[in-house]
């Protein structure tokens, strides 16, 4: 019996109903605009205040609005950003990677009213695995969900496991990707290009797509998931260091992403399932197991999860 897939409800509209829950005092905040087939995203601005125009004839209103939009986008959006390109991501994946850590220690902080637990992952070997890991394996340090799946176990967006592509149902909106080299280096990228996916497939690496939370320390233009639930993310700092971050309470996507931005993360990919599907081993050998995972292991260990797990191990 397989683990029950997590069903993702994706609304048809682009409502920003949750987007005003943090940074309330700011009128504008940079946002990331990811264009179709673009290698690098663009930076723009998102207004958080409404502008009411005085009543006038329809022709004058149309002219003013069109001119205003033209000037706004010409002034505030550029064609490049500091987010890593696909070429740069591939270059990082090809670099040697030292594996040495034995466990991870959580750091805690509260940013913009969002309580975060932050786990450093540098020095660990990453991999995508289609079986639930054995928790008695002392090299196992952390694992959590990766790509989203439909009820019939079809991946949403491309997934590659050790060079092997998995059947998927294309769905737009997941502009962040996570790539894993055969040596275990994990990198986060932003964009819709296929070069990194093709590289991992050709070289025996792994790859999956997820919702974008941050790109070059900027929020995405819109979020497709709304409401308040426990949130989790894989984040990269400016120095390239990698972290797993979870919230201690229920947060909106916007509030969580804004807290990550304020904390200093550059790129961040959403991790589905929150802390209900994660495993964390401390340096002393003890570990924590998410509620849903605990139930699954108690019923029958060794089952195939609904989606591949992103697993981190130390050197044996």
């Amino acid at each position: 019996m397989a683990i029950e897939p997590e069903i993702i409800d994706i609304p048809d509209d682009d409502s920003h109903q949750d987007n005003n829950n943090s940074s309330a005092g700011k009128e504008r905040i940079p946002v990331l605009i990811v264009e179709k087939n673009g290698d690098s995203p663009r930076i723009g601005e998102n207004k958080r205040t409404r502008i009411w125009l005085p009543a006038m004839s329809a022709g004058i209103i149309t002219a003013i609005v069109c001119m205003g939009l033209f000037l706004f986008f010409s002034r505030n959006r550029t064609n490049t950003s500091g987010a890593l390109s696909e070429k740069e991501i591939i270059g990082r994946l090809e670099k040697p990677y030292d594996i040495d850590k034995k466990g991870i220690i959580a750091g805690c902080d509260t940013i913009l009213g969002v309580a975060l637990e932050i786990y450093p992952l540098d020095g660990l070997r990453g991999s995508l695995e289609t079986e639930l890991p054995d928790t008695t394996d002392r090299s196992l340090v952390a694992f959590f969900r990766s790509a989203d799946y439909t009820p019939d176990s079809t991946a949403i967006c491309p997934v590659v496991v050790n060079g092997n592509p998995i059947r998927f149902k294309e769905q737009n909106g997941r502009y962040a990707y996570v790539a894993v080299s055969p040596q275990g280096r994990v990198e986060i990228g932003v964009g819709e290009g296929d070069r990194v996916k093709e590289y991992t497939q050709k070289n025996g690496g792994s790859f999956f797509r997820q919702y974008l939370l941050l790109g070059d320390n900027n929020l995405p233009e819109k979020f497709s998931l709304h409401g308040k639930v426990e949130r989790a993310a894989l984040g990269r700092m400016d120095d390239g260091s990698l972290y797993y971050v979870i919230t201690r309470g229920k947060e909106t996507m916007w509030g969580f992403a804004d807290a990550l931005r304020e904390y200093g993360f550059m790129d961040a990919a959403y991790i589905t399932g929150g802390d209900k599907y994660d495993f964390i081993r401390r340096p002393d050998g003890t570990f924590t197991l998410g509620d849903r995972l605990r139930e699954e292991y108690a019923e029958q260990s060794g089952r195939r999860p609904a989606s591949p797990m992103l697993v981190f191990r130390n050197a044996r």
Side-chain angles (χ1 to χ4, degrees), residues 6 144-145 230-232 244 246 270-278:
E6 181 179 19
F144 36 83
R145 295 279 291 275
E230 293 168 326
R231 305 289 184 182
Y244 176 54
I246 62 175
Y270 184 63
I271 295 297
T272 189
D275 64 353
K276 301 300 183 184
Y277 281 93
D278 64 9

Side-chain angles (χ1 to χ4, degrees), residues 8 10 16 19 30-35 38-44 81-84 89 146-148 156-157 171-178 187-192 208-226 231-236 252-261 265-272:
I8 303 297
I10 304 173
H16 284 196
N19 290 1
V31 298
L32 206 69
I33 297 92
V34 181
E35 296 180 319
D39 181 41
S40 297
R42 298 188 302 160
I43 303 300
S81 78
L84 297 177
I89 292 290
S146 60
D148 290 319
I156 298 176
C157 292
Q171 188 167 23
N172 295 328
R174 288 166 171 80
Y175 300 126
Y177 61 83
V178 177
E187 295 291 341
I188 302 171
V190 180
E192 284 196 296
F208 69 91
R209 286 191 171 277
Q210 258 298 351
Y211 287 111
L212 176 68
L213 289 171
L214 284 180
D216 191 31
N217 193 238
N218 293 279
L219 298 179
E221 188 177 23
K222 61 183 178 180
F223 290 100
S224 297
L225 300 181
H226 304 286
R231 305 289 184 182
L234 193 66
R236 179 186 70 86
T252 65
M253 286 279 278
W254 179 276
F256 182 38
D258 204 17
L260 295 175
R261 179 194 61 80
F265 283 96
M266 300 303 293
D267 301 323
Y270 184 63
I271 295 297
T272 189

Side-chain angles (χ1 to χ4, degrees), residues 56-260:
M56 58 183 66
S57 67
I60 296 177
I61 292 177
T62 301
I64 291 176
V65 170
C66 290
M67 180 61 70
L69 288 175
F70 173 79
L71 293 175
F72 174 83
F73 287 107
S74 298
R75 182 176 66 253
N76 291 319
R77 293 187 178 179
T78 61
N79 293 322
T80 60
S81 78
L84 297 177
S85 68
E86 290 189 290
K87 181 178 179 180
E88 290 171 313
I89 292 290
I90 291 173
R92 293 172 70 93
L93 292 172
E94 291 177 336
K95 292 181 179 179
Y97 183 56
D98 294 328
I99 303 160
D100 56 10
K101 288 189 74 170
K102 302 300 181 184
I104 52 181
I105 302 176
C108 302
D109 209 339
T110 299
I111 306 295
L112 300 177
V114 178
L116 303 175
E117 292 184 10
I118 304 169
Y119 299 89
L121 298 172
D122 287 335
L124 297 173
R125 178 192 290 114
S127 61
L128 271 191
E129 301 182 12
T130 57
E131 302 284 347
L132 285 175
D134 181 1
T135 58
T136 64
D137 177 4
R138 301 291 289 192
S139 71
L140 181 66
V141 177
F143 70 87
F144 36 83
R145 295 279 291 275
S146 60
D148 290 319
Y149 269 59
T150 61
D152 65 354
S153 297
T154 300
I156 298 176
C157 292
V159 179
V160 177
V161 179
N162 299 326
N164 300 309
I166 291 180
R167 181 170 62 99
F168 72 94
K169 179 179 180 180
E170 186 69 48
Q171 188 167 23
N172 295 328
R174 288 166 171 80
Y175 300 126
Y177 61 83
V178 177
V180 187
S181 74
Q183 294 74 35
R185 180 186 289 273
V186 178
E187 295 291 341
I188 302 171
V190 180
E192 284 196 296
D194 292 325
R195 292 177 61 189
V196 175
K197 177 181 72 69
E198 293 168 355
Y199 170 84
T200 58
Q201 187 171 333
K202 180 179 179 181
N203 292 277
S206 298
F207 176 96
F208 69 91
R209 286 191 171 277
Q210 258 298 351
Y211 287 111
L212 176 68
L213 289 171
L214 284 180
D216 191 31
N217 193 238
N218 293 279
L219 298 179
E221 188 177 23
K222 61 183 178 180
F223 290 100
S224 297
L225 300 181
H226 304 286
K228 284 191 173 185
V229 299
E230 293 168 326
R231 305 289 184 182
L234 193 66
R236 179 186 70 86
M237 289 291 191
D238 194 32
D239 62 0
S241 54
L242 191 70
Y243 296 85
Y244 176 54
V245 185
I246 62 175
T247 64
R248 287 190 164 184
K250 296 181 178 181
E251 306 292 343
T252 65
M253 286 279 278
W254 179 276
F256 182 38
D258 204 17
L260 295 175

